[in-house]
């Protein structure tokens, strides 16, 4: 699992997309002192379900996770591996029908994360688990709201 913490220096290069595989090679390198309550979101359409448990275990060891959500169009075939994982792990499955829209899941993750950041001041960190780098704008906005952003993928 690759981890990248998006701090000021990572977000200062404006036209550079965030690369979730560029920064750290393990969750153990993250500074525990800044973790209080976290929101953990999975882009389940492009991350393997077998990575869920190790990610949750590592982040839980660093502090409490208030929200755990997995986003996908659960009617498509490539999300079937997530079904067992969702049964045994306390993750809320969020349905995002595509309706011929390419980035439906990404957009819903972005809207929900901003809503959580505004409504829940007690959340100080967001972990975004995805294998693409389409979350630059979200990471930037969350940082502007004073939140710590960690990309995993």
């Amino acid at each position: 699992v690759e981890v990248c913490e998006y701090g000021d220096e990572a977000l200062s290069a404006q036209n550079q997309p965030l690369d979730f595989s560029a920064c750290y090679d393990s969750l153990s390198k993250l500074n525990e002192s800044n973790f209080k309550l976290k929101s953990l979101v999975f882009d389940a359409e492009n991350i393997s379900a077998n990575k869920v448990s190790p990610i949750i275990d590592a982040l839980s060891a660093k502090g409490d996770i208030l929200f755990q959500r997995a986003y996908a169009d659960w009617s498509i075939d490539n999300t079937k591996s997530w079904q067992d994982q969702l049964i045994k792990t306390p993750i809320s499955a969020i349905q995002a029908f595509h309706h011929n829209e390419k980035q439906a899941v990404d957009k819903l993750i972005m809207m929900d994360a901003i809503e959580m950041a505004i409504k829940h001041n007690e959340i100080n960190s967001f972990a975004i688990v995805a294998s693409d780098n389409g979350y630059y704008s979200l990471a930037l906005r969350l940082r502007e709201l004073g939140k710590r952003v960690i990309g995993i993928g």
Side-chain angles (χ1 to χ4, degrees):
V1 174
E2 299 290 328
V3 178
C4 183
E5 182 175 0
Y6 298 112
D8 295 327
E9 62 283 345
L11 292 175
S12 64
Q14 288 190 350
N15 293 324
Q16 294 295 323
L18 295 178
D19 181 358
F20 285 157
S21 62
C23 295
Y24 299 117
D25 61 2
S26 79
L27 288 166
S28 63
K29 292 183 180 178
L30 294 175
N31 180 357
E32 293 181 35
S33 65
N34 291 332
F35 278 99
K36 293 177 185 160
L37 291 173
K38 295 176 285 306
S39 176
L40 174 59
V41 297
F42 293 92
D43 184 340
E45 290 186 357
N46 66 32
I47 212 75
S48 173
N50 66 5
K51 302 209 185 273
V52 171
S53 291
I55 290 169
I56 290 173
D57 291 346
L59 287 174
S60 293
K62 308 270 183 201
D64 294 329
I65 301 173
L66 188 58
F67 292 100
Q68 293 183 144
R69 296 181 178 176
Y71 294 77
D73 181 346
W74 300 104
S75 66
I76 61 176
D77 289 337
N78 71 339
T79 60
K80 299 299 182 205
S81 66
W82 275 82
Q83 289 178 4
D84 289 338
Q85 189 64 47
L86 291 172
I87 290 169
K88 63 183 178 182
T89 310
I91 299 174
S92 298
I94 308 297
Q95 174 64 39
F97 289 110
H98 287 278
H99 300 295
N100 295 323
E101 187 176 340
K102 204 173 186 183
Q103 301 295 325
V105 169
D106 294 4
K107 290 176 182 177
L108 185 55
I109 288 172
M110 290 179 202
M111 289 187 297
D112 281 359
I114 294 298
E115 181 181 8
M116 281 187 266
I118 292 168
K119 285 185 174 180
H120 298 278
N121 288 331
E122 67 274 19
I123 297 174
N124 74 334
S125 302
F126 284 78
I128 304 166
V129 183
S131 64
D132 62 13
N133 60 2
Y135 296 99
Y136 174 81
S137 296
L138 174 60
L140 181 62
R141 183 57 55 116
L142 289 171
R143 292 278 298 150
E144 288 172 356
L145 292 171
K147 309 302 181 181
R148 185 175 184 189
V149 182
I150 300 154
I152 303 170

